Amino acid sequence: MSPFCLGKVGDRGRSGTDNRLFVEAVLWIVRTGSPWRDLPEHFGKWNTVFKRFRDWVKADVFVRLFEAVSGEPDMEYAMVDATIVRVHRHGQGAKGGPSSQAIGRSRGGLTTKILALTDALGNLVRFVLLPGQRHDLKGVDELLQDIDLQALLADKAFDATWLVQRLQSTNCQVVIAQKANRRAPLLIDREMYKWRHLIENYFCKLKEFKRIALRSDKTDSSFAAVITLASAVINSR
């Protein structure tokens, strides 16, 4: 992982400090859900660590770390699903207001939706963030862009004619639970559909990281970075 990190031993400034200690500091924040100001002193000054975190976010370092530990996904089939997380008050008040971020307002308060695509092993391939009130289908185009699928497993929230036709046009097997009002029911592999629990398992593992289970990041870029880092840990197990 070290070749993908910013800085090295001997460099000036915050990029030249111990990368392993820094990653452990970020993981401590992500796992515990604590405010940056509560970072234990042995990790260094919290403000310096936070600024360095933002440097890595802007440079897509966490994405490169995720790719380094994930390897080639098993695309024998893939699964798509979404989960909703509440927004902590620390995650509110971003510049431009909630409307400029993937934060939506509903009866349950402010929420963010994580729409994810996992491979046949239940490991994350990619994800998109949506305001909590948006329908799951709104992010599917972005999620499936340039992805070669043999089969797609999904629940009935994704039972849309345009999506089924798009998948069939690429010879992708459709394994999507159907709504009761579908006029032309599809035959689906019900034994294969049972494996959809793997993406639900992924969300359970992801929400073990408290900063994700209750969004505490004001910006989508920071929230996406902590999801990416946590997913790197999950994929590497």
Side-chain angles (χ1 to χ4, degrees), residues 2-208:
S2 59
F4 305 100
C5 298
L6 291 184
K8 61 183 182 300
V9 176
D11 284 354
R12 291 183 176 181
R14 55 179 178 265
S15 65
T17 54
D18 188 340
N19 282 325
R20 180 182 293 273
L21 183 65
F22 167 69
V23 172
E24 289 177 353
V26 177
L27 280 174
W28 186 90
I29 290 290
V30 178
R31 173 67 77 176
T32 65
S34 300
W36 285 97
R37 290 178 181 273
D38 292 345
L39 187 71
E41 292 183 2
H42 69 269
F43 288 120
K45 295 180 179 180
W46 74 267
N47 194 45
T48 300
V49 176
F50 173 72
K51 288 180 179 178
R52 190 176 177 197
F53 167 75
R54 286 299 303 169
D55 288 344
W56 282 36
V57 170
K58 295 173 184 176
D60 288 330
V61 176
F62 295 107
V63 174
R64 295 200 294 271
L65 295 181
F66 169 78
E67 293 172 347
V69 301
S70 297
E72 288 295 324
D74 182 350
M75 302 304 287
E76 178 181 356
Y77 58 85
M79 294 160 279
V80 61
D81 204 353
T83 189
I84 290 179
V85 296
R86 294 284 299 275
V87 179
H88 192 280
R89 65 183 183 86
H90 292 159
Q92 302 173 26
K95 186 177 181 180
S99 61
S100 66
Q101 306 297 322
I103 297 176
R105 188 178 298 277
S106 61
R107 288 181 297 177
L110 296 179
T111 56
T112 291
K113 180 173 289 185
I114 305 171
L115 179 66
L117 181 76
T118 63
D119 67 5
L121 301 177
N123 291 325
L124 180 70
V125 177
R126 61 172 58 159
F127 69 92
V128 296
L129 300 177
L130 300 170
Q133 80 279 7
R134 295 284 295 276
H135 194 279
D136 297 357
L137 283 169
K138 295 296 184 181
V140 168
D141 267 338
E142 180 180 352
L143 202 65
L144 299 182
Q145 187 174 6
D146 300 324
I147 292 284
D148 184 18
L149 298 175
Q150 297 181 37
L152 182 68
L153 284 60
D155 62 22
K156 64 180 61 179
F158 298 89
D159 181 22
T161 300
W162 68 266
L163 178 58
V164 171
Q165 291 176 345
R166 170 179 169 175
L167 295 172
Q168 290 176 335
S169 69
T170 61
N171 295 318
C172 176
Q173 183 178 356
V174 177
V175 190
I176 299 176
Q178 297 160 57
K179 298 176 182 176
N181 62 354
R182 171 171 277 279
R183 293 183 178 181
L186 301 172
L187 292 176
I188 67 171
D189 188 330
R190 297 192 178 279
E191 288 302 313
M192 181 182 288
Y193 182 77
K194 293 178 181 179
W195 288 103
R196 200 185 66 80
H197 75 277
L198 290 174
I199 191 169
E200 297 174 350
N201 293 349
Y202 162 73
F203 284 133
C204 289
K205 296 172 186 175
L206 190 65
K207 289 185 177 182
E208 290 176 0

